[in-house]
C-alpha cells in the first residue's frame, strides 16, 4: 500500500446491544482506501454485527460510521456506496448470469449499452465469459459465488463487504477462490472488508487483520505482525500453532528478562510491562522450537522427555514434557531427520528473538 494512505471508512465508538447482550463494545477503526482488511475471530465475537452496521442493515446503539468523510450512520443501505457479498450467494434463481450481474444497473435505469459494457467487463474479471445465459442451477458453487461478487462489483462501490463468502466451498475450491478474490481486489483497487474465522485465509489475503473477541479488537496488525508479535495469549493461540509456556520473570535488566521455565534459566527480550517475580507466558511457535538428542550450545533451551511423535509425510509433530509437567509441541521437516525415540530425553531450543512474552487473557486466567 502507498505510504500516504487515505482513510475511506471510519468507525468511532461503535456499540451495539441486543436486549442485554453487547455484541459490539465501543470499537474504533480506520480502513484505508484500496485496503484488504479482514475481521477475524471466533463465532459470536461481533464480526458480522460490525459488518451489518457498516452496510446499514443494523443501526448502532452508539457511535458513528463515516464513509469517505460523510456520516452515513443513519443512511439507508441503498444510499450507501457499499455492497455486501454473503456466503449463500443470494442469486435470483429465475435470472441467468447476465441478468443477475446486470440487476443493480437495471434498477438504476442505466442505458442498455452501458449495462452490456460493464457486465462484459465483470464477466471477464470473474472469468465467466461465455456463461451469460446459464442459470444459477447450472453453475458450481464457486461459479455462483463469482457471479454474486460480479453483481456487487458492477455497481462500482467504494467499499465491498464480504461475510464469509467462501465458507460453503470445499477446501481446494476455497483456496483457488482466495487467490481470485485477492487478484480482483488488487486489479480494481476497491476496498474490501472481509469476514472469516479461518486464520489461514486471513493471513493469506489481508493487508491488515482486526482480531476480534467479545465485541472488541484484541489486536489490529499486519498478518506478519499478528503472527510474529502477538500481544496476548488469545492472539498468539488464535493464529497458528503456538506453545504458551508458563514462566517466572527472575530479573529484568536493560532490554532482557531472565525467565525461569521448569527450572531452566532462559533469556528473552524484555517488554516494558514485566516486573521481577511475575508469572507470565512465553509464546513460542511450534515450528520455531527445535529438538536435539544432544546438549546444545545456545542460550534458550530446556530439557524434557519425548512423549509423542507423529510422522505426517514431510512434517513431524512432537510433544515434549518438561520437568514441571508442561507439554511443549514442536513441528519440523522430516528431511534428513534422525528419527526420535519415544521416552528419550531431548533438548528443546530456540532463538531468543522468536519467543514473545504475552499477557495471559485466556478464559479463567
Amino acid at each position: 500500500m502507498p505510504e500516504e494512505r487515505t482513510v475511506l471508512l471510519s468507525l468511532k465508538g461503535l456499540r451495539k446491544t441486543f436486549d442485554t447482550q453487547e455484541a459490539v463494545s465501543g470499537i474504533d477503526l480506520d480502513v484505508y482506501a484500496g485496503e484488504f482488511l479482514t475481521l477475524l475471530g471466533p463465532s459470536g465475537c461481533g464480526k458480522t454485527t460490525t459488518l451489518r452496521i457498516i452496510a446499514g442493515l443494523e443501526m448502532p446503539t452508539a457511535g458513528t460510521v463515516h464513509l469517505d468523510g460523510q456520516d452515513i450512520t443513519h443512511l439507508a443501505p441503498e444510499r450507501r456506496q457499499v455492497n455486501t457479498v454473503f456466503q449463500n450467494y443470494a442469486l435470483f434463481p429465475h435470472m441467468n448470469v447476465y441478468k443477475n450481474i446486470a440487476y443493480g444497473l437495471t434498477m438504476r435505469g442505466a442505458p442498455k449499452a452501458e449495462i452490456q459494457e460493464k457486465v462484459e467487463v465483470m464477466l471477464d474479471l470473474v472469468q465467466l465469459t461465455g456463461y451469460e445465459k446459464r442459470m444459477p442451477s447450472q453453475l458450481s458453487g464457486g461459479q455462483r459465488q463469482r457471479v454474486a461478487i460480479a453483481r456487487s462489483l458492477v455497481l462500482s462501490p467504494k467499499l465491498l463487504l464480504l461475510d464469509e463468502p467462501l465458507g460453503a466451498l470445499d477446501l481446494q475450491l476455497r483456496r483457488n477462490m482466495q487467490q481470485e478474490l485477492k487478484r480482483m481486489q488488487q486489479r480494481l483497487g476497491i476496498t474490501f472488508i472481509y469476514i472469516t474465522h479461518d486464520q489461514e485465509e486471513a493471513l493469506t489475503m489481508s493487508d491488515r487483520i482486526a482480531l476480534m473477541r467479545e465485541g472488541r479488537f484484541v489486536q489490529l496488525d499486519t498478518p506478519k505482525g499478528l503472527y510474529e508479535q502477538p500481544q496476548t495469549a488469545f492472539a498468539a493461540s488464535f493464529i497458528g500453532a503456538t506453545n504458551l509456556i508458563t514462566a517466572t520473570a527472575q530479573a529484568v535488566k536493560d532490554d532482557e528478562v531472565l525467565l525461569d521455565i521448569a527450572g531452566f534459566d532462559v533469556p528473552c527480550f524484555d517488554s516494558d510491562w514485566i516486573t521481577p517475580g511475575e508469572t507470565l507466558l512465553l509464546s513460542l511457535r511450534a515450528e520455531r522450537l527445535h529438538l536435539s538428542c544432544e546438549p546444545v550450545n545456545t542460550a534458550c533451551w530446556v530439557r524434557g522427555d519425548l512423549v509423542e511423535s507423529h510422522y505426517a509425510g514431510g512434517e513431524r509433530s512432537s510433544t515434549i514434557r518438561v520437568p514441571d509437567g508442561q507439554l511443549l509441541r514442536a513441528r519440523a521437516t522430516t528431511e534428513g531427520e534422525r528419527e526420535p525415540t519415544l521416552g528419550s530425553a531431548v533438548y528443546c531450543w530456540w532463538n531468543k528473538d522468536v519467543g514473545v512474552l504475552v499477557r495471559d487473557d485466556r478464559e479463567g486466567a
Side-chain angles (χ1 to χ4, degrees), residues 348-364:
C348 309
W349 65 273
W350 61 95
N351 295 320
K352 188 171 76 167
D353 60 350
V354 302
V356 180
L357 293 169
V358 297
R359 291 182 170 87
D360 191 353
D361 62 343
R362 295 172 297 181
E363 294 288 345

Side-chain angles (χ1 to χ4, degrees), residues 169-184:
L169 306 181
D170 64 56
L171 181 61
Q172 189 57 50
L173 182 56
R174 185 183 182 112
R175 286 177 174 165
N176 292 340
M177 280 298 299
Q178 287 172 13
Q179 296 173 357
E180 287 195 29
L181 266 179
K182 187 64 178 176
R183 174 186 60 82
M184 287 183 231

